Amino acid sequence: MFAAGALVTVVTLVFMPEDRVVFGVLTFLGSAMLLTGVLEPLLKKIPPAAGLAVSAVLFALTYHLDERWLGFGGLRLALPDAWYANYFTAFFGFLPFDFYSTDYFALLPWLFLFWAGYFLHFCMGRQRMEPLRRSVCPALGWMGRHSLLLYLLHQPVIYGVLSAAAVLFA
């Protein structure tokens, strides 16, 4: 997943730098998966309901990092401008003023939402999730099993079709 995100970044930087994707959703998902895999022995020690609650609170608390503050509603803690320095800090959620990406999902706050889903799975239990595993439509099941490939191909295919239509109907 992380490699697919890196591929999207390279392709957009080379072919459409004005619409570049830096730290997009695939890069985030790959990073979250890798971190969760490394930290899973620790995460499994946390009771699922507590992990879900803490993850949800941390997500809400860090949701406005890109606006340079932590907090809920009117309770705000301004964060130092020094934390918002460069592309390295942007990966974590601390965007410098000159940062631009057409698709951007920082590690924070979204890692906490990812972990909320991780803990929710254990709160629900495998048996209650089983009906979601059954495919009610074979075509949708196939698309679900091949979603990364479809995600990577959908925009080039759409651009190709629209470009061909523009040439044909110009």
Side-chain angles (χ1 to χ4, degrees):
M1 191 72 63
F2 187 88
L7 175 66
V8 168
T9 297
V10 168
V11 168
T12 59
L13 284 172
V14 170
F15 294 105
M16 34 196 284
E18 67 283 353
D19 292 322
R20 65 187 173 270
V21 173
V22 181
F23 306 132
V25 67
L26 296 178
T27 303
F28 161 71
L29 287 172
S31 299
M33 289 174 186
L34 290 168
L35 275 169
T36 302
V38 168
L39 296 174
E40 193 164 29
L42 296 172
L43 295 173
K44 284 197 178 255
K45 292 180 181 180
I46 300 170
L52 173 59
V54 169
S55 295
V57 168
L58 288 173
F59 174 72
L61 183 69
T62 59
Y63 186 78
H64 294 281
L65 280 181
D66 60 338
E67 298 172 38
R68 300 177 181 244
W69 60 274
L70 292 174
F72 304 99
L75 296 171
R76 295 182 180 191
L77 173 65
L79 298 173
D81 284 342
W83 290 9
Y84 297 80
N86 52 44
Y87 274 63
F88 178 75
T89 64
F91 172 75
F92 294 99
F94 305 99
L95 295 152
F97 286 116
D98 63 345
F99 180 84
Y100 176 76
S101 177
T102 57
D103 179 30
Y104 174 70
F105 282 85
L107 199 57
L108 302 175
W110 301 106
L111 180 62
F112 297 125
L113 187 62
F114 187 91
W115 282 348
Y118 171 87
F119 287 114
L120 180 62
H121 173 265
F122 293 107
C123 287
M124 297 300 293
R126 186 168 182 85
Q127 186 176 6
R128 288 172 67 189
M129 301 291 283
E130 204 56 45
L132 298 175
R133 298 181 197 285
R134 281 185 254 123
S135 179
V136 294
C137 174
L140 291 177
W142 183 90
M143 290 170 68
R145 287 188 304 278
H146 299 89
S147 59
L148 179 59
L149 178 63
L150 293 172
Y151 181 81
L152 290 172
L153 292 177
H154 84 279
Q155 284 196 344
V157 168
I158 290 169
Y159 276 127
V161 168
L162 291 177
S163 296
V167 169
L168 287 172
F169 299 111

